[in-house]
Amino acid sequence: MTDNLQQRIDQSASGTPLVKPDEQAMYLGTFRERCYVSMTVKQMKKETNKTLLTRALTAYPEAKVLINGNLPTSLQSNYIQIVTTNKHAFTIVTPKQPLNDDAIGLLLVSDQAVHEEIIDLEEKFQKNESKVTPHKEPKEKKGFWSKWF
């Protein structure tokens, strides 16, 4: 009984323990397994990635957007405009870590685990653009008897 009481006192003093706190800090308060797409601050500064983000928003209509609150307001407002024109909900999350170019600036997330293998925006959507398949003429189908005669 005293162990349980001491445990409750310790929990009340320090707060409830977090599951994977380092991962939550890196991914703007959510888990990696819930992420569809991520953008670093460096990627957000590239103009070409805005069209890739629009493709990602249409690919995941049920996704919610998390935006890093430490971003400059001009960059934030550009991406908020893109997100709202695509009719997605967004939340601005201000992490405790200082902002650098490799920090995550924007995430498309789900409420549940989705287990996406690749979440990097450029890696996920630019590789689809580079795969251009040449147009092939359909082959004429041969009948069963043409094989024999």
Side-chain angles (χ1 to χ4, degrees), residues 30-36 109-116:
T30 190
F31 297 107
R32 161 67 173 84
E33 63 196 23
R34 294 183 179 186
C35 297
Y36 290 116
V109 296
S110 174
D111 291 336
Q112 303 167 6
V114 291
H115 300 289
E116 291 282 326

Side-chain angles (χ1 to χ4, degrees), residues 7-8 32 36 77:
Q7 186 178 27
R8 290 185 58 95
R32 161 67 173 84
Y36 290 116
S77 62

Side-chain angles (χ1 to χ4, degrees), residues 143-149:
F144 174 76
W145 294 109
S146 64
K147 293 179 186 175
W148 295 96
F149 297 107

Side-chain angles (χ1 to χ4, degrees), residues 5-104:
L5 180 62
Q6 184 62 39
Q7 186 178 27
R8 290 185 58 95
I9 291 171
D10 291 342
Q11 185 177 359
S12 297
S14 62
T16 55
L18 295 174
V19 178
K20 300 182 183 179
D22 295 335
E23 182 178 313
Q24 284 184 345
M26 183 177 177
Y27 291 101
L28 302 178
T30 190
F31 297 107
R32 161 67 173 84
E33 63 196 23
R34 294 183 179 186
C35 297
Y36 290 116
V37 175
S38 71
M39 287 181 78
T40 62
V41 176
K42 187 176 184 180
Q43 290 173 339
M44 290 178 78
K45 293 177 182 176
K46 295 179 185 176
E47 287 293 320
T48 56
N49 287 340
K50 291 181 181 180
T51 57
L52 294 179
L53 178 64
T54 304
R55 286 181 53 200
L57 290 169
T58 56
Y60 301 106
E62 72 283 354
K64 295 177 185 171
V65 179
L66 299 178
I67 299 174
N68 192 328
N70 293 333
L71 290 170
T73 54
S74 61
L75 197 59
Q76 265 186 24
S77 62
N78 287 339
Y79 281 93
I80 288 172
Q81 185 178 7
I82 292 169
V83 169
T84 54
T85 55
N86 286 291
K87 298 180 178 133
H88 273 72
F90 70 91
T91 305
I92 296 176
V93 180
T94 307
K96 294 178 183 177
Q97 293 89 3
L99 190 68
N100 59 24
D101 280 350
D102 294 330
I104 291 182

Side-chain angles (χ1 to χ4, degrees), residues 135-141:
H135 179 68
K136 295 181 181 179
E137 293 293 324
K139 292 182 180 180
E140 185 178 322
K141 292 186 178 182

